[in-house]
Structure formats: structure tokens, C-alpha cells
Amino acid sequence: MTQLGVGFLGAGIATQAIHLPTVAALAGRLRTCHVMDVDPAVAAGSAAAAGARWTTRAADVLSDPDVDIVVVASPPSAHAEQVIAACGSGCRAVLCEKPLATSRDEARLILEASRSSGTPVLVGTMHAYDPACRAATAAWRSAGSEAVLVRSRINLPPDDVYILAATQPVSVPPPWTPPARPWAQGAAAAFITDIMLGLVIHNIPLVREFFPEAGRVTSAATPAPIGYAVAARCNDGAAEFLGMVAADWAADWSLEAWSPSARLRVEFPPSYVHAGSAVARLETGDGTQEWRYPRNGYQAEWEHLADVAAGRTEPMIPLGTAVADLDFALSMAEGAAGLLEQEAR
Amino acid sequence: MSAAGAARPGSALTVGAAALFPAPRLARPAAAAASLPQLFQPAADPEKPADILLVDGVDPSWPQALGRALDTPVRGVLLCAPTVVPTAEAQALAARAGEAGRPVVVATPFPYDAAARDALSRYGPTDSPTLIDSVVTIRDDGDGRPARSLLGVAFLAQLAAIATITGPVPVLTMNLDTEHAYSATGTRDGLTVVLAGLVSSLPAPSLRIDLLGAHRRHTIRLADPGPSTVVSYGPLGMSGMPPSYQGGLRNAWRNLHAAVTAAEPVRFGLRELAAVLASAPPWSR
């Protein structure tokens, strides 16, 4: 089996804690060969741990003939430009961290670049690759259940507890300080947009399994200290997005869907750590089924990416679907921001 | 039984239901009363008025049924799992029962659940929740009761829980309001509540409430059949009491007995129910 080379654009915590260890675990199929970061110490430190070259220039990675897969893990504002450049570099596949882009226009340009170059682009929505989640949602679909309520809940402690369990970071990012309350003009809208595109985006592809089209946002709130509650009317049901990042409590990252005769609950492990798949339970009138696997979403995502890059399969989640996921997230963010701004006035 | 748990000799109250209401709907509260044999006994003599009557609240005509119960020489009433009715009807009944000095206990899960009370007792005044997230499911047994009435029972149970936790319920916006499901959100004084309810054919309906604040989080789950569980996270980590099998219905019966025989206050009665109804958004029946 040919070993594929991986090059990184951006070596922040996602690269250090998630991707480098996952690629290392797939050493027979993948190897990290080039790491770029604007901070030379971060680039050098991350590359050294992987035995790879380092640079502070994206062009060095994109022109490296050993790089088959380009990972775009830079700040979201740079995603579109870098994904498009990667598509033009001749690489075999691109993995872009979520969000794919920060606007619909950027997403459209990415889609065009991918199509015109024939380069598959995958988005790092690891929960969408989680084997337990996929098995359970497939069983839901086969049962013909129609969701009336879907709830995404993400209650987390500060990230560092999981980052330190997943890697030895070259540099520890400063803790996220929530904006001061009461909100200044526009702060609530900016906050909810960041939350939607930075955190809730993980669950958006899963919510779209039940409600493909973004509906109308009907309520939005930002409970202290770092919380959100957004609800939307979708088709004949409702989607609720709830979460809070606060104290040192156990992570509670879940997706639930109800129909009048079925209930699905998927409990995901927190980000960064390798703790196996989600635990997914589907209750119907026939009883309860449960799925859990040793492989987590990151591993499944990377194994699939390697297969796509090797030309063995087509992307499980087409780029058009990923673009629609982003559109859904943007619609939720815009709707929620609009309501919060209206309330502030 | 310890002395503290023993009823005084001769204090058992007779409970009648079958003459006024169809028995199958009242199987659960009847079983709960039967688990307190020193406090309650079935009314054996149909010619003699029972001390206590049960009223099934699932039927939207429960105010009329309760009115008829209050027309009898009853000493107290257990209103079981009421669905949404106009606030004025509940207020009128509260006034009438109060004037007659006849306690009416409203058996809705949260206010009477020991595990829920335990969870609330752990919340200090300085670490109140900022987000309350709750889902309630109620079972459609396929016995012909309209789903909307069942959903109204679930909604009131949830509102009663929120009122018990926070006092006045925030003004709610309905995100979804259908025959089988609702979703509602409200914010007041820095507290956001997100409520969802569903009628389901699945067994084991439950009321789940998550209280989240800057320093504490409690997850309360009242299940039918039980047990009730509470898991709390605080500065010292995770803690939880053993699952409680002292269900809300049993405690509601105890409260009714104490109210009738010892003039103790009703913890959740018609006045409290009327206040909860007043806080509810418009509800089509």
C-alpha cells in the first residue's frame, strides 16, 4: 500500500492534538511530511514531533511533491484562499477544518475550485464520520422515522483539560475570555456567530440528517457565562441548539432526535481525546439498539480521507453537502444574531 | 416502621374513585395510595361518602369533574396530572376549595419528588442556574386520549417544575406547537429556559431537567416508572444521591393526608397550578 504524504497549513491545537496523533496512528498509510505555521516555533516544534519539514510559508507545502493530502487547519478566515490554492496545487485531496468557509461566496468558490481541478475536498466534521453515529442514523432512516424535534447539546469544561490529555502542545493557546457583560452593541451577535461557526458547526451535519433545510430561527439567547440557546422551526419540527462552556464538569456532547415513535440519542466523546466512538441508542417500539465502536470519528475521517486520496472511493460526504451544511450554519447564525440585535434595540 | 413514619391510629382516610371516574386512568395514583395503607384505604361502603376523591386531569373537562367532587362531602381531592385549562377556571376552583376548607393536591411530578427537592437544596443563592434545559415525554397508551391533552399534561408538569425551581416562569416563545410536540424558550433576569415536550408511544416517559450555571450543573431525571435520579457537578466534582424510588405520586398522597388531618399546607395545589397556567403562552386544546 502506498504511503501518502500529508502537509499541514496551520499547526495550532487542532493539528497538534487531533491530526498529528491520528496520522501517526495510521503510519502504514500516511506520514506527515511538511508542516506550515505562521509562528516558526510552532511550525518547527510540531514538525519535529512528526519527523517532518517545517515552514512559515503555505506555498512551500503546496509545492512539495511529497504532499498528497493538504490539511487546512488555519484560522477560518484563511480557509477559502488556502483550500482553493490547495486544489490548484495538484494534491490528491484536501481536508479543511470546520468551518469550510466564513461566507456563502467563499464556499461557492471552493466548490468551483474543487470541481474544476477534480480535487476532493473533505471537511473535518468528525462526528459525521463517527461509526456509531452513522450506524444509528442509518437505522433511524430505515425505520422510516420522521423527526419532530432535534436537539444539539454541547456542555463542556474549558478545552485545556482535553488538549492536555491528547498531546503535549508546543504552545498552549490562552484561555478564551468571554466578552464582558452586559454585551456591548453588536457583541451578542458576534458571539452567537462565533459559537455557531466554531462550536455548533460540529453537529450541523448531523442535524441536517433530520432537517436538511434551515428553517426560521424563532428564539436566541446567550446565558452567562458562555452559553447559547437557539431554536429554529424546520419543516414540521424544531431544531434546538443548546450549550454552555463553564466549570470543570463532565463533557455532555449529544444529539437527540425524536419522532412520535422513536428516540435517538448519540453521546459523543469530547473533542481532542481518542476515546472510541460515540455511544448511540435508538429506541423504538421494538426495543432499544445500541452502537459503540473502538474507532472514533477522527480515525474514521482520516481512514476515509486516505481512501479518497488513493482513489479507492468517493467522498462519503460530498462537498456539495458540506457547502449546504455551512449554509445551514450561516442561516442559524444570521437568524440568531438578528434576533439578539433586535432584542438589544 | 419508625415512630416518625407511623400514622396515628384511626387516621386512615377512605379513597373513592370508581363511582365518579373510570378506574383504568387512575391505576397509578390508586397504586400509590395503596402503598400507604396506614394513611389511605379504599372506600368499601358505596353508600358512605369517601374522605378523598381522585380526579383524572388528563381530560380537559377536569375542572367540571373537580367541581362535582367538591359538591360532595369530600375532605380532600387529589387532582392527578392535569392538562392545560383556562387560568380562570383553575382560579375559581382554587377559591372555591379554599372557602370550603378542602385541600386539593395537584399531583404533578416535580414539586413532590424527593430527588428533585434534594437537587434544589444543593443550589445556593449565589450560584443560580443561567440555563435550564428540559425535555418531557408522555406516553400515548393508545387508549383514545387525545394527544393534545396528553401534551398539555406534559407541558404543565414542566412548567410546574420550572416554577418550583425559579419562581415565576419567564414569558415563553413557542418555537413549535403541534399535536404531538412543542418547543418553547423564555428569558428573564439572566435566566434562559428551553423546554420541549413530546407525546410518544415509547415506554418509560420522563421529565429531564438540566440546570446549568457558572459553577454548578444538576441533571435531574424523573422517570415513570422510577427511579428519580440527580447528578450534580460542583467545585468538588460529581456527586449523586442513590436513585430515589419515593415517587412524586406517593409524596403527593402524603401531603394530602397531612393537609386533611393536620392542616398542613398543600405544597402544590390549585393556587400554584393557576399561577403556572397564568404564565403559560396561549395553548390550543
Side-chain angles (χ1 to χ4, degrees):
Chain A
M1 187 179 290
T2 310
Q3 199 180 37
L4 298 169
V6 180
F8 286 90
L9 303 183
I13 285 300
T15 293
Q16 294 174 48
I18 296 169
H19 298 303
L20 290 174
T22 308
V23 170
L26 294 169
R29 303 185 63 189
L30 301 166
R31 71 184 171 87
T32 298
C33 56
H34 215 145
V35 177
M36 170 267 167
D37 197 275
V38 291
D39 183 333
V42 170
S46 304
R53 293 181 288 284
W54 69 272
T55 178
T56 57
R57 300 188 329 135
D60 292 342
V61 172
L62 297 179
S63 62
D64 185 337
D66 291 338
V67 171
D68 299 298
I69 297 172
V70 174
V71 179
V72 175
S74 48
S77 59
H79 284 186
E81 182 187 342
Q82 291 183 339
V83 171
I84 291 166
C87 284
S89 74
C91 70
R92 295 181 182 216
V94 177
L95 174 68
C96 180
E97 261 305 335
K98 52 211 165 284
L100 173 64
T102 57
S103 72
R104 293 178 182 85
D105 284 345
E106 287 181 352
R108 184 178 46 77
L109 292 173
I110 289 173
L111 193 57
E112 283 171 10
S114 171
R115 282 178 179 161
S116 62
S117 65
T119 312
V121 176
L122 279 67
V123 180
T125 47
M126 72 286 194
H127 292 332
Y129 292 92
D130 185 287
C133 183
R134 291 192 71 83
T137 50
W140 170 284
R141 279 194 300 273
S142 350
S145 303
E146 292 282 336
V148 293
L149 178 68
V150 176
R151 298 190 120 207
S152 158
R153 296 195 336 151
I154 307 176
N155 296 317
L156 297 172
D159 265 353
D160 53 358
V161 63
Y162 300 121
I163 292 169
L164 296 175
T167 190
Q168 292 176 302
V170 175
S171 65
V172 179
W176 184 35
T177 308
R181 292 174 187 254
W183 299 113
Q185 181 70 30
F191 170 80
I192 206 73
T193 302
D194 285 349
I195 286 283
M196 278 290 163
L197 294 185
L199 184 62
V200 180
I201 191 90
H202 290 81
N203 278 9
I204 295 288
L206 314 177
V207 172
R208 288 194 64 243
E209 293 273 350
F210 307 95
F211 297 137
E213 303 299 325
R216 182 174 60 88
V217 175
T218 48
S219 65
T222 56
I226 308 175
Y228 61 93
V230 175
R233 184 73 194 254
C234 299
N235 301 340
D236 293 328
E240 296 178 344
F241 303 91
L242 309 167
M244 185 170 285
V245 180
D248 284 333
W249 52 33
D252 168 21
W253 190 314
S254 66
L255 181 91
E256 290 179 288
W258 283 268
S259 80
S261 57
R263 176 195 178 212
L264 173 67
R265 178 173 172 81
V266 187
E267 296 169 11
F268 294 99
S271 291
Y272 304 108
V273 298
H274 289 262
S277 76
V279 178
R281 288 187 195 87
L282 177 63
E283 293 173 56
T284 64
D286 296 329
T288 301
Q289 290 175 275
E290 182 171 304
W291 293 266
R292 183 173 196 171
Y293 300 96
R295 224 165 40 126
N296 63 39
Y298 297 128
Q299 291 166 312
E301 172 189 298
W302 269 100
E303 285 172 9
H304 178 62
L305 176 61
D307 284 341
V308 170
R312 277 196 285 272
T313 187
E314 293 297 312
M316 186 188 294
I317 301 174
L319 182 56
T321 302
V323 169
D325 291 342
L326 176 69
D327 180 63
F328 189 110
L330 287 167
S331 296
M332 293 297 110
E334 290 157 0
L339 286 179
L340 291 169
E341 286 294 283
Q342 198 177 322
E343 192 181 300
R345 284 196 292 269
Chain B
M1 176 180 280
S2 69
R8 285 171 296 154
S11 68
L13 301 172
T14 58
V15 181
L20 285 170
F21 311 103
R25 296 187 186 189
L26 300 170
R28 299 300 302 275
S35 76
L36 298 165
Q38 297 190 31
L39 303 185
F40 298 101
Q41 291 171 358
D45 182 355
E47 300 300 319
K48 192 176 168 189
D51 295 320
I52 302 294
L53 284 176
L54 271 170
V55 171
D56 176 22
V58 175
D59 192 320
S61 67
W62 68 255
Q64 290 74 47
L66 179 54
R68 288 197 301 275
L70 292 173
D71 284 338
T72 70
V74 72
R75 295 174 68 188
V77 177
L78 191 93
L79 172 60
C80 193
T83 192
V84 178
V85 298
T87 306
E89 292 185 23
Q91 287 169 334
L93 284 165
R96 191 172 153 199
E99 284 164 15
R102 292 174 184 177
V104 177
V105 162
V106 180
T108 187
F110 192 93
Y112 284 103
D113 193 278
R117 286 207 307 276
D118 173 67
L120 295 184
S121 71
R122 298 189 211 179
Y123 247 109
T126 56
D127 51 16
S128 298
T130 57
L131 175 62
I132 297 180
D133 157 22
S134 175
V135 179
V136 60
T137 56
I138 188 164
R139 186 167 189 195
D140 183 354
D141 291 321
D143 61 358
R145 291 181 289 188
R148 189 66 185 173
S149 294
L150 291 167
L151 197 63
V153 172
F155 189 45
L156 272 192
Q158 202 170 39
L159 291 181
I162 301 304
T164 305
I165 296 166
T166 70
V169 177
V171 174
L172 295 170
T173 298
M174 299 302 282
N175 306 306
L176 174 74
D177 189 9
T178 69
E179 184 77 5
H180 286 87
Y182 63 81
S183 158
T185 309
T187 300
R188 178 180 57 77
D189 299 334
L191 168 69
T192 298
V193 298
V194 183
L195 311 177
L198 298 105
V199 177
S200 168
S201 60
L202 297 176
S206 67
L207 170 59
R208 191 185 72 202
I209 301 175
D210 278 82
L211 312 177
L212 299 106
H215 307 294
R216 289 183 186 276
R217 176 174 133 208
H218 299 308
T219 298
I220 304 164
R221 185 172 185 273
L222 313 185
D224 180 19
S228 303
T229 57
V230 177
V231 177
S232 303
Y233 301 88
L236 298 178
M238 185 174 84
S239 63
M241 296 294 285
S244 168
Y245 291 85
Q246 190 71 254
L249 265 173
R250 206 159 183 261
N251 286 329
W253 277 114
R254 286 181 187 278
N255 185 209
L256 180 58
H257 187 276
V260 168
T261 61
E264 286 192 14
V266 169
R267 191 174 302 139
F268 194 87
L270 289 170
R271 267 199 197 85
E272 290 75 17
L273 179 66
V276 163
L277 283 166
S279 71
W283 182 266
S284 62
R285 288 200 276 171

